Amino acid sequence: MRRPQDAEDTLSAVRRLRPKPPLSGMPKIPDSKVGQLLTLLDRTGVPQELEDLLRDLPGPKGVRPRVVLAGLLLSAYYTGRATVADAWRLLHYGLEPRARTWLGIPEHPPAGPAARIASSKRLYRGLNAITTALDPARYDRRSRLPQRHADFHAALWDSPEGRTAAARLQLLANRLVLASVRMADQRGYLRGWNGDVGVDATDIRVSARPDSSRLTTASTEVTAGWHFKGGTGDKVFGYSATLAIAAHHRDPGDDAPGAYPQLCLGFELDTPTVRTGPNALTILTQLGLPTGILAADRAYTGCSPSNFQTPVRRLGYRLALDYKVKERGLQGSWQGAPLVDGSLLCPLTPAPLIHATAGADDDTVRFRSDALREKIEAREPHHLKLKQGPNARGAIRLQCPASGPSPSVNCTRRDRLRPRAQAPAAMPSRVIDLSLPLPRTLPTAARPTVQVPDAERFAPPPAVTLPQVCCAGSITVPADTEANWRLAKYRQDVHYLHTPWLNTYRPIRSHNEGANGRFKSGTLDIGNPKHRPAPGQVAQTLLLAVMLTVANLTVLETWLTERAGPDELTDADFDATGPLPSLDTPRIALPEADNGRHPPPRSR
């Protein structure tokens, strides 16, 4: 029989429980900052959407979703941590009386340990109610489940109902991040941005331990997995967050790009190596911003074209990709034109140029020798030329390099099949305008000459037996996989390893890595699991959205300060956010094909 405890023991036990009252130095949050964050939060429509989801759920309601999200935003903004404990301290001990009335917080802080515990539990119940409404497979995360039970709950996330719930969760989370992006766009801070985007996946470590084969128990994070870092081979147990970062490429022929804040445009949290392409596509379909060049690493090149390359092109983006060792060199052909390193070349391109990068490892490509550099530069005049940009379906039209008013090669086959019309001789002008640019057409002697086979010179074959690109004025290059799977997968819009590609791919990728380093350092560290301790993929998604929103606000404030602007964002900035489009607004339909690059077999 349990021995009864006296009143002193009970009071001592209560005092040892969390949450503890704030220590000295608790910041007093000005009403203006609370009002700004509430304006940003209300413009997203997320609190009202959560209220609608929680209206019919049984059990105690706890704190309203608006108060929970506002507390987490304040916690991330002032402490760098998105924890309920810090949110509780700021809500009850850091707000001024006016801000308390906005959120329905009692006028005076809770007195005594019992009152503090009761108020904190209401806040915890509020977050628990939100995660319960959004979770497609709710389970007890306080203890490790048997392996078969964990596999069952993880499989529910991949069911049709689970994917619908996950899409709703990600849409609500991304609206928080998009609110800060929309604010910067409306205020003109993104005026110098040309629409280039860098997409990359970064690891989001969790506090939970991985599965145990010895105990046959699963991790408390049943949908987490091992994230392998490219280049180092290190692995981290947790989730993968796909981040889309505003970036720009360098073009030596144009003016320097304008200044703009490098914001996180959106994110997607998921199991590592699963749905790599569709996750990036989900972010891009929600932006509604100008489109430019999209650069991604080799993980996205390996995706199924119907899940990444084709839909991204139909959104209006041009692709800059990288390849693995086995993918370099000759990759296929289209209407007689060989596909080499993502670009279509003349059918009579010399073989040494076509196979210059075949089998080249990463070090060879990264530190190119003079011989390899000369071969890559010699490919330039043999590339098919762009005649017409992409249409609504992402298809483009290319033409032979020997055709048009500015041919880059000499070709007797082209001259025989499609002879040039002789332009009438014009009277020489007596006035020379020195302000006009020099003509870009090279003289015939300065252009390389395509070597036609000897048999073709002596006995020209009929046009129907020759490649279509040699006979037609131009050819259509589709973006979908119905015509040619390898063409849709490997083709890119910047010639691989040429100077424009180096000035495009490297800067955008460096913007990605720089943003990851900024978001994972300093006070606000999205990679530190102690800064977002709530378990479960739903809670981790919401907390990461809160932290990325605050990270964007911090980037904006730093950017303004560096340009002699105000140290903080003003009320005019937050008022310019404007309400986001309704959640019922139709969006571009995502492909219903497979889930992109399939994950390796799970070894639980």
Side-chain angles (χ1 to χ4, degrees), residues 126-140:
L127 179 61
N128 184 72
I130 295 174
T131 56
T132 301
L134 297 175
D135 200 332
R138 188 70 174 175
Y139 65 96
D140 187 2

Side-chain angles (χ1 to χ4, degrees), residues 15-277:
R15 286 175 176 172
R16 287 194 298 268
L17 294 176
R18 289 185 176 183
K20 297 179 180 180
L23 302 177
S24 60
M26 189 69 182
K28 281 297 182 181
I29 304 175
D31 293 342
S32 60
K33 182 56 65 178
V34 179
Q36 290 173 354
L37 294 179
L38 285 178
T39 299
L40 186 72
L41 181 61
D42 292 338
R43 297 290 174 85
T44 65
V46 174
Q48 184 58 46
E49 182 72 14
L50 294 177
E51 291 278 2
D52 297 340
L53 291 176
L54 298 177
R55 183 173 294 115
D56 299 329
L57 290 183
K61 301 301 180 182
V63 181
R64 295 181 58 189
R66 182 171 183 261
V67 181
V68 176
L69 294 177
L72 292 174
L73 279 172
L74 290 170
S75 174
Y77 189 87
Y78 282 96
T79 69
R81 301 182 298 271
T83 65
V84 179
D86 290 314
W88 173 83
R89 293 188 183 97
L90 290 174
L91 289 175
H92 288 277
Y93 293 91
L95 297 184
E96 299 291 346
R98 187 182 179 188
R100 290 174 178 271
T101 60
W102 296 340
L103 294 171
I105 303 297
E107 182 179 357
H108 300 289
R116 290 196 298 269
I117 291 175
S119 63
S120 68
K121 283 187 175 180
R122 284 194 293 271
L123 193 60
Y124 276 100
R125 283 200 301 269
L127 179 61
N128 184 72
I130 295 174
T131 56
T132 301
L134 297 175
D135 200 332
R138 188 70 174 175
Y139 65 96
D140 187 2
R141 294 185 295 270
R142 293 171 296 182
S143 60
R144 299 169 69 94
L145 298 177
Q147 190 64 67
R148 63 181 185 278
H149 294 173
D151 291 340
F152 171 77
H153 285 91
L156 293 178
W157 279 81
D158 294 327
S159 64
E161 297 80 7
R163 295 317 309 160
T164 301
R168 179 179 58 188
L169 164 67
Q170 200 62 54
L171 177 61
L172 293 175
N174 257 323
R175 289 177 73 85
L176 295 173
V177 181
L178 280 174
S180 59
V181 178
R182 182 182 177 86
M183 175 180 64
D185 185 40
Q186 294 295 323
R187 291 290 286 172
Y189 300 148
L190 296 179
R191 192 180 298 110
W193 177 55
N194 58 8
D196 294 347
V197 177
V199 176
D200 192 19
T202 186
D203 61 280
I204 301 297
R205 188 189 302 268
V206 295
S207 300
R209 291 178 294 177
D211 304 340
S212 174
S213 57
R214 182 177 63 86
L215 300 176
T216 65
T217 56
S219 172
T220 54
E221 300 278 356
V222 298
T223 55
W226 290 104
H227 178 102
F228 291 88
K229 298 182 179 181
T232 62
D234 298 335
K235 61 180 182 178
V236 174
F237 184 75
Y239 297 98
S240 289
T242 303
L243 303 182
I245 305 297
H248 66 269
H249 67 279
R250 295 193 301 265
D251 193 345
D254 296 339
D255 296 335
Y260 65 93
Q262 292 181 359
L263 301 177
C264 175
L265 305 177
F267 82 102
E268 187 92 4
L269 191 74
D270 207 341
T271 307
T273 73
V274 174
R275 290 175 287 272
T276 303

Side-chain angles (χ1 to χ4, degrees), residues 344-346 382-388 396-408 414 469-470 472-477:
L344 291 172
L345 272 66
C346 168
H382 297 275
H383 286 125
L384 300 190
K385 299 185 300 182
L386 180 66
K387 184 176 182 180
Q388 182 178 339
I396 61 175
R397 294 190 66 82
L398 300 179
Q399 61 181 354
C400 170
S403 62
S406 301
S408 56
R414 183 72 182 185
V469 66
C470 298
S474 61
I475 59 173
T476 299
V477 182

Side-chain angles (χ1 to χ4, degrees), residues 411-432:
C411 182
T412 56
R413 175 189 290 180
R414 183 72 182 185
D415 295 338
R416 176 177 64 85
L417 296 175
R418 300 181 66 87
R420 298 178 181 276
Q422 295 294 331
M427 291 293 295
S429 175
R430 294 177 178 272
V431 180
I432 300 177

